[in-house]
Amino acid sequence: MSKQDVLVNDETMHHDHRQWESDVSMWRDDIEIWQQGHQNALKELNRIAERLTEHVTALEAHVDQLDSHEANTLQHEHGVAADFRQQAEPTSRSMSEHVKEATRHQHLRDAHERMKKHHHTVMAHIAMLKATLDSSL
């Protein structure tokens, strides 16, 4: 090995070391940014957990609306049956009540569909996030 090979190697090694130091410095900057991102993500996940808890409350309220609607429908059905027992034609009161119940039912159907779409979207995103976090680095 000649003296020139040693100098070239020394220069190459010195250049490599400077490059490595630069790489490590850049990687540390990356990690600092990522750590800040993780801190922000944890704060956001706490907010998301609060929103999911609120969603549970909304689901419970929806169940209450279903129960009420079911009871109202049954009561309406009994009223219509009573009208038919007394006469052949439904009364204007029972017809008016039926229109109201039909409107309530449609509103409940629309609300249920909105909740279903929202629920499926949220659960799909949570599943994707979980799968991403569960995958190895």
Side-chain angles (χ1 to χ4, degrees), residues 62-76:
H62 187 58
V63 168
D64 290 345
Q65 290 173 334
L66 294 177
D67 291 344
S68 176
H69 179 62
E70 195 171 36
N72 289 341
T73 300
L74 185 59
Q75 183 180 358
H76 173 64

Side-chain angles (χ1 to χ4, degrees), residues 5-104:
D5 289 337
V6 172
L7 288 177
V8 170
N9 286 338
D10 286 347
E11 282 181 36
T12 302
M13 285 189 291
H14 184 64
H15 177 266
D16 286 347
H17 293 164
R18 283 196 319 257
Q19 182 60 50
W20 297 344
E21 287 175 5
S22 176
D23 288 345
V24 168
S25 177
M26 183 178 60
W27 296 339
R28 288 186 186 280
D29 291 343
D30 286 344
I31 290 171
E32 188 176 320
I33 292 167
W34 298 342
Q35 287 172 329
Q36 183 62 46
H38 276 86
Q39 288 175 352
N40 291 338
L42 287 171
K43 288 177 189 173
E44 197 60 26
L45 284 172
N46 286 330
R47 191 185 72 75
I48 290 168
E50 290 172 6
R51 295 298 309 271
L52 285 171
T53 300
E54 290 170 7
H55 189 66
V56 168
T57 302
L59 290 174
E60 290 168 353
H62 187 58
V63 168
D64 290 345
Q65 290 173 334
L66 294 177
D67 291 344
S68 176
H69 179 62
E70 195 171 36
N72 289 341
T73 300
L74 185 59
Q75 183 180 358
H76 173 64
E77 181 65 26
H78 288 305
V80 169
D83 286 348
F84 277 117
R85 280 193 301 273
Q86 294 174 4
Q87 57 206 23
E89 295 292 319
T91 64
S92 61
R93 181 187 64 77
S94 66
M95 291 298 287
S96 174
E97 284 298 316
H98 185 78
V99 169
K100 288 179 188 175
E101 284 302 312
T103 301
R104 286 185 200 123

